[in-house]
Amino acid sequence: MEPLMASSRFVFFLSPILLLISSQSLAQPEFPSHSCFYEKGNYTTGSTYRTNLNTLLFSLSSPSNNGNGYGFYNSSFGENADQVHAIALCRGDVRTDTCRGCLSNSTQKLTQVCPNQKEAIGFYDECMLRYANRSIYGAMETAPVFPLWWNINNLSSSDVDGFFQEMRKLLKEIIGQAAANGSLRKFAVGNTTAPNLQPIYGLAQCTPDLAEQACSECLDSAMGNIPTYCERKQGCRVSNPSCTVRYEVNRFYDPTTVVPVPSSPPPLSSPHLLKK
Ligand SMILES: *[C@@H]1O[C@H](CO)[C@@H](O)[C@H](O)[C@H]1NC(C)=O
Ligand SMILES: *[C@@H]1O[C@H](CO)[C@@H](O)[C@H](O)[C@H]1NC(C)=O
Ligand SMILES: *[C@@H]1O[C@H](CO)[C@@H](O)[C@H](O)[C@H]1NC(C)=O
Ligand SMILES: *[C@@H]1O[C@H](CO)[C@@H](O)[C@H](O)[C@H]1NC(C)=O
Ligand SMILES: *[C@@H]1O[C@H](CO)[C@@H](O)[C@H](O)[C@H]1NC(C)=O
Ligand SMILES: *[C@@H]1O[C@H](CO)[C@@H](O)[C@H](O)[C@H]1NC(C)=O
Ligand SMILES: *[C@@H]1O[C@H](CO)[C@@H](O)[C@H](O)[C@H]1NC(C)=O
């Protein structure tokens, strides 16, 4: 609570013009997609749940929190009925500082667009944030489905079948790779060329708390949603709380910024023992 109170006291002394400028420059971008789960419970403004949520989100996006070092954040705060659980995941190629900026935007935006919901989820291009009053770590959830589009152009009808066939082949391949990746990051990208010579770039990613089998099932499920949401589209992303598949005709990721994971982490040692 302290930082919020401090900032509202500060704002009190600003002139209206400065206030306008500062509120504009502080505004976070809208989520391309989000959901507030009204049916899963509401909290009130002064509640312990709200305080715990603030504390949790503040620590999640703090500059000293590096998550698991590979864009995955998992934490809980509070006791019993007021315990809050959060998970955040950055796209596998997103740099640490961009990831942190995205999480900082998400933590502020999600409580703003879902002001009273105990459970909520929000997606930006570079990251996803969700929180709930139930444990969400390690649970595969393929619903609800969040389709996202950045390129609204259609493929010409003569190109659709060939394009979709190549796209599916590509996604199948990278789904296998992403699922087989280790427990630090489950992410794979790849490209191919459609019969009409259009390049196709694909991405598959799970939250890395999922086991290989669960990740693979999740990505298959997301891919199963493609016909429903991506009909004729040149680019499309299908996300759910646990995973994402995406294809585009332009390269939307940067393979050079994917931080390599240790090739064979010692199987039975706990994460803190790896740090020297
Ligand atoms: C979450 O909150 C809802 C509504 O308040 C409640 O019914 C549910 O039991 C809570 N879940 C947990 C795991 O505490
Ligand atoms: C939460 O509040 C919304 C209205 O904002 C209401 O429709 C919904 O039923 C409430 N949920 C619960 C579980 O009480
Ligand atoms: C993630 O959070 C859950 C709930 O607090 C905890 O049980 C689990 O150990 C955490 N996992 C990691 C890898 O931090
Ligand atoms: C976060 O929001 C700021 C605007 O407040 C914007 O300039 C920045 O690009 C956003 N960062 C990310 C990673 O979305
Ligand atoms: C793409 O096709 C759909 C119908 O399949 C149409 O509704 C939509 O307007 C088209 N979009 C563009 C950008 O042409
Ligand atoms: C892990 O992911 C990378 C992409 O980041 C991919 O190239 C690699 O083949 C994957 N590893 C396995 C074992 O599938
Ligand atoms: C396409 O993928 C190959 C590896 O399969 C890679 O060498 C190449 O750089 C990629 N092309 C682009 C434009 O990303």
Side-chain angles (χ1 to χ4, degrees):
M1 277 315 278
E2 193 48 36
L4 290 180
M5 288 167 67
S7 71
S8 56
R9 242 183 277 129
F10 177 62
V11 164
F12 183 76
F13 293 106
L14 292 174
S15 75
I17 288 169
L18 269 178
L19 187 61
L20 185 66
I21 293 169
S22 71
S23 67
Q24 278 178 349
S25 64
L26 289 174
Q28 288 75 42
E30 297 298 325
F31 285 118
S33 193
H34 76 273
S35 185
C36 315
F37 297 95
Y38 294 94
E39 72 287 1
K40 297 209 171 155
N42 303 313
Y43 59 77
T44 51
T45 307
S47 63
T48 309
Y49 191 86
R50 171 78 225 201
T51 311
N52 289 346
L53 179 61
N54 276 355
T55 306
L56 183 60
L57 296 182
F58 185 74
S59 88
L60 190 82
S61 59
S62 95
S64 61
N65 186 358
N66 211 12
N68 78 341
Y70 300 92
F72 179 66
Y73 296 73
N74 163 53
S75 54
S76 302
F77 190 78
E79 306 285 336
N80 305 320
D82 292 315
Q83 192 172 30
V84 191
H85 306 267
I87 277 182
L89 180 69
C90 284
R91 212 179 59 214
D93 62 308
V94 167
R95 289 175 191 273
T96 307
D97 54 342
T98 310
C99 179
R100 210 172 271 133
C102 192
L103 295 186
S104 164
N105 287 355
S106 304
T107 54
Q108 294 171 72
K109 196 69 188 177
L110 198 51
T111 47
Q112 196 183 314
V113 296
C114 304
N116 298 107
Q117 283 66 53
K118 287 186 175 175
E119 182 162 348
I121 186 167
F123 297 88
Y124 282 125
D125 187 349
E126 296 90 354
C127 70
M128 172 279 282
L129 169 71
R130 57 187 297 223
Y131 52 74
N133 70 331
R134 63 197 172 91
S135 172
I136 48 178
Y137 183 83
M140 176 188 59
E141 293 177 25
T142 55
V145 173
F146 299 86
L148 298 102
W149 306 281
W150 279 270
N151 179 351
I152 55 152
N153 294 322
N154 290 321
L155 297 156
S156 72
S157 43
S158 57
D159 290 338
V160 179
D161 288 350
F163 184 98
F164 267 54
Q165 202 175 332
E166 279 307 311
M167 180 266 286
R168 285 173 177 288
K169 238 164 58 185
L170 172 68
L171 289 185
K172 279 212 165 92
E173 193 182 313
I174 60 181
I175 281 173
Q177 288 174 10
N181 274 171
S183 58
L184 292 173
R185 188 177 59 211
K186 286 188 154 43
F187 167 77
V189 292
N191 64 81
T192 187
T193 306
N196 68 352
L197 302 183
Q198 233 165 345
I200 309 175
Y201 297 90
L203 172 150
Q205 184 168 20
C206 293
T207 59
D209 54 330
L210 298 189
E212 176 170 358
Q213 178 67 23
C215 174
S216 159
E217 273 175 35
C218 184
L219 292 167
D220 284 345
S221 165
M223 200 166 133
N225 298 127
I226 285 182
T228 309
Y229 298 109
C230 310
E231 190 191 9
R232 292 191 58 196
K233 290 193 167 52
Q234 292 194 1
C236 187
R237 165 177 164 181
V238 175
S239 290
N240 59 46
S242 295
C243 67
T244 286
V245 293
R246 182 172 174 187
Y247 70 87
E248 301 285 345
V249 293
N250 61 302
R251 192 161 61 85
F252 58 97
Y253 51 81
D254 185 353
T256 66
T257 54
V258 180
V259 178
V261 289
S263 52
S264 51
L268 287 172
S269 62
S270 49
H272 68 274
L273 292 178
L274 293 174
K275 288 192 193 131
K276 279 269 153 74

